[in-house]
């Protein structure tokens, strides 16, 4: 069908109806949460910060490999970063309900900026050792464990209940977009300004989210006191999961995926250098490939979010993820490896 004239009789250009479809329907629904001033500030500030974070992740992994030449220590460094979440996230989530979430986020982001700057200074002064990196990674992990529940909880306060799902989807999209941009920049930056420059850029990038939060206007509503202790509230949450079959299955799947499905990520610098024979630029391209696949997967899942077959999609994605991991372990060609990583990122988005 061709384009029609609007009611006022004026001639319109080709594609007029298609443009109206997107500007009047699809795009506004897709980016509905960005109409909210508070969330819009947060989203753009978060985008800046996430690009810096991914730059540091790439630079830190490559630096550990250069300093130690040990795949074990490369993996250990990442494990130390995420281990505190196992023990801190639950109590941190409960505590977050009793404090101003915006202030908590500003504090955690500022602390992360200081740690990133410390890495940069240690690198620039030439005294950095693996011990320094492991200690800073552990401290970073503790702060992230406190920050993550707050970051999730603040979304509902920014946009309101009706737009929470849309805001969560947009958060996922910007995370994966930064996962493309950050490693791509880091791959080039490592050869130009070194790991220290990447750490410094990450430190500055936290200003994006800190400044954005400074302009966010929120009313902090304290929850009604329940008389329950911190540990009783945590136990109540665990009992809720135990009583509901769907929640139990979901938690088990997340645990299995987190334990076995993403263990290849810390070893990306090892694959880049020792398997594919590429430098920092190739390593950045590999991480960006994962981001391309993940972002594509998020967009596809958002498009079919109303389908009745989400359970089947989850099972299929998990199965394909396992097969692709085996395939990636067998690949020795760099370009083929990138293609497999794109597919891995796509399948990973259906699970994570």
């Amino acid at each position: 069908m061709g384009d029609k004239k609007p009611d006022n009789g004026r001639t319109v250009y080709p594609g007029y109806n298609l443009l109206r479809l997107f500007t009047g329907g699809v795009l506004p629904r897709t980016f509905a949460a960005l109409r909210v001033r508070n969330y819009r500030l947060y989203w753009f500030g978060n985008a800046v910060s996430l690009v810096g974070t991914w730059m540091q992740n790439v630079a830190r992994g490559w630096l550990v490999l250069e300093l130690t030449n040990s795949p074990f220590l490369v993996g250990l460094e990442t494990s130390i970063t995420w281990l505190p979440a196992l023990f801190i996230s639950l109590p941190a989530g409960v505590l977050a309900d009793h404090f101003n979430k915006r202030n908590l986020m500003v504090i955690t982001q500022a602390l992360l900026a200081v740690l990133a700057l410390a890495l940069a200074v240690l690198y620039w002064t030439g005294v950095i050792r693996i011990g320094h990196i492991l200690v800073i990674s552990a401290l970073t992990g503790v702060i992230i464990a406190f920050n993550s529940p707050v970051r999730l909880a603040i979304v509902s306060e920014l946009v309101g209940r009706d737009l929470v799902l849309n805001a969560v989807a947009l958060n996922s999209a910007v995370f994966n977009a930064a996962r493309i941009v950050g490693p791509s920049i880091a791959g080039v930056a490592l050869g130009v300004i070194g790991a220290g420059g990447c750490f410094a850029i990450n430190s500055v990038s936290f200003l994006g989210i800190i400044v954005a939060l400074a302009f966010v206007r929120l009313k902090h509503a304290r929850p009604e006191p329940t008389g329950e202790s911190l540990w009783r509230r945590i136990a109540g949450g665990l009992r809720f999961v135990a009583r509901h079959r769907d929640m139990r299955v979901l938690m088990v799947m997340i645990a299995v995926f987190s334990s076995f499905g993403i263990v290849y990520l810390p070893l990306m610098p090892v694959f880049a250098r020792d398997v594919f024979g590429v430098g920092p630029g190739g390593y950045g391209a590999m991480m960006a490939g994962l981001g391309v696949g993940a972002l594509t997967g998020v967009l596809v899942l958002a498009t079919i979010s109303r389908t009745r077959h989400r359970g089947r999609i989850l099972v299929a994605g998990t199965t394909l993820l396992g097969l692709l991991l085996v395939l990636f372990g067998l690949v020795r060609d760099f370009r083929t490896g990138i293609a497999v990583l794109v597919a891995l990122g796509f399948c990973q988005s259906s699970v994570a």
Side-chain angles (χ1 to χ4, degrees):
M1 295 179 64
D3 291 305
K4 297 179 180 179
K5 293 184 178 181
D7 294 338
N8 59 16
R10 288 184 298 178
T11 303
V12 297
Y13 48 82
Y16 174 82
N17 290 332
L18 182 62
L19 180 63
R20 286 193 63 191
L21 170 66
F22 280 92
T23 58
V26 176
L27 286 181
R29 287 197 301 272
T30 303
F31 300 100
L34 290 177
R35 296 175 184 170
V36 181
R37 175 188 176 275
N38 282 341
Y39 181 73
R40 189 165 60 248
L41 288 169
Y42 170 82
W43 191 85
F44 282 106
N46 194 35
V48 174
S49 178
L50 284 171
V51 169
T53 297
W54 277 107
M55 287 185 66
Q56 174 161 309
N57 288 344
V58 169
R60 193 175 56 199
W62 191 261
L63 178 61
V64 171
L65 185 61
E66 283 190 327
L67 287 175
T68 67
N69 202 34
S70 169
F72 170 76
L73 288 174
V74 173
L76 178 65
E77 184 274 326
T78 302
S79 299
I80 287 176
T81 302
W82 296 109
L83 190 62
L86 284 175
F87 307 100
I88 298 176
S89 292
L90 283 176
V94 175
L95 290 173
D97 290 334
H98 293 274
F99 296 95
N100 186 296
K101 296 179 181 63
R102 181 182 64 178
N103 292 345
L104 284 175
M105 278 203 67
V106 169
I107 292 170
T108 55
Q109 299 305 296
L111 290 173
L112 289 172
V114 170
L115 291 177
L117 183 60
L119 276 176
V121 172
L122 287 169
Y123 181 89
W124 285 332
T125 55
V127 300
I128 194 165
R129 298 292 183 270
I130 183 61
H132 299 130
I133 299 175
L134 293 179
V135 169
I136 291 177
S137 294
L139 293 173
T140 298
V142 171
I143 297 169
I144 290 175
F146 276 101
N147 176 70
S148 295
V150 179
R151 185 183 288 270
L152 292 172
I154 200 173
V155 172
S156 61
E157 293 187 10
L158 290 169
V159 299
R161 183 176 298 178
D162 293 341
L163 291 174
V164 166
L165 291 179
N166 182 255
V168 170
L170 288 174
N171 282 354
S172 180
V174 76
F175 176 85
N176 286 298
R179 196 173 170 181
I180 300 170
V181 177
S184 300
I185 297 174
V188 177
L190 278 170
V192 178
I193 58 177
C198 293
F199 301 149
I201 290 174
N202 182 42
S203 180
V204 174
S205 76
F206 284 108
L207 289 175
I209 187 69
I210 292 172
V211 171
L213 288 170
F215 286 94
V216 165
R217 295 190 291 266
L218 287 178
K219 292 182 179 180
H220 174 58
R222 286 185 175 274
E224 293 294 329
T226 62
E228 291 185 323
S229 67
L230 170 67
W231 301 112
R232 286 180 66 87
R233 294 184 67 183
I234 292 174
L238 294 175
R239 284 195 298 270
F240 175 83
V241 172
R243 284 197 300 263
H244 293 79
R245 179 180 177 276
D246 290 346
M247 291 297 295
R248 291 199 307 271
V249 172
L250 183 61
M251 290 298 103
V252 170
M253 289 192 69
I254 291 174
V256 172
F257 173 74
S258 300
S259 300
F260 305 105
I262 55 176
V263 292
Y264 68 97
L265 287 174
L267 297 177
M268 282 295 101
V270 180
F271 274 96
R273 192 192 71 174
D274 298 343
V275 177
F276 298 126
V278 296
Y283 171 37
M286 291 167 64
M287 297 299 292
L290 278 167
V292 169
L295 180 60
T296 305
V298 166
L299 295 175
V300 170
L301 287 175
T303 303
I304 60 175
S305 61
R306 296 181 182 274
T307 182
R308 299 177 181 178
H309 305 299
R310 288 299 300 272
R312 295 180 183 178
I313 292 172
L314 184 62
V315 172
T318 306
T319 303
L320 284 174
L321 182 67
L323 295 174
L324 287 167
L325 282 173
V326 174
L327 178 60
F328 183 70
L330 299 174
V331 168
R332 294 296 178 267
D333 176 70
F334 177 63
R335 292 181 180 178
T336 306
I338 291 286
V340 175
L341 286 173
V342 171
L344 267 171
F346 184 90
C347 292
Q348 188 175 313
S349 68
S350 70
V351 182

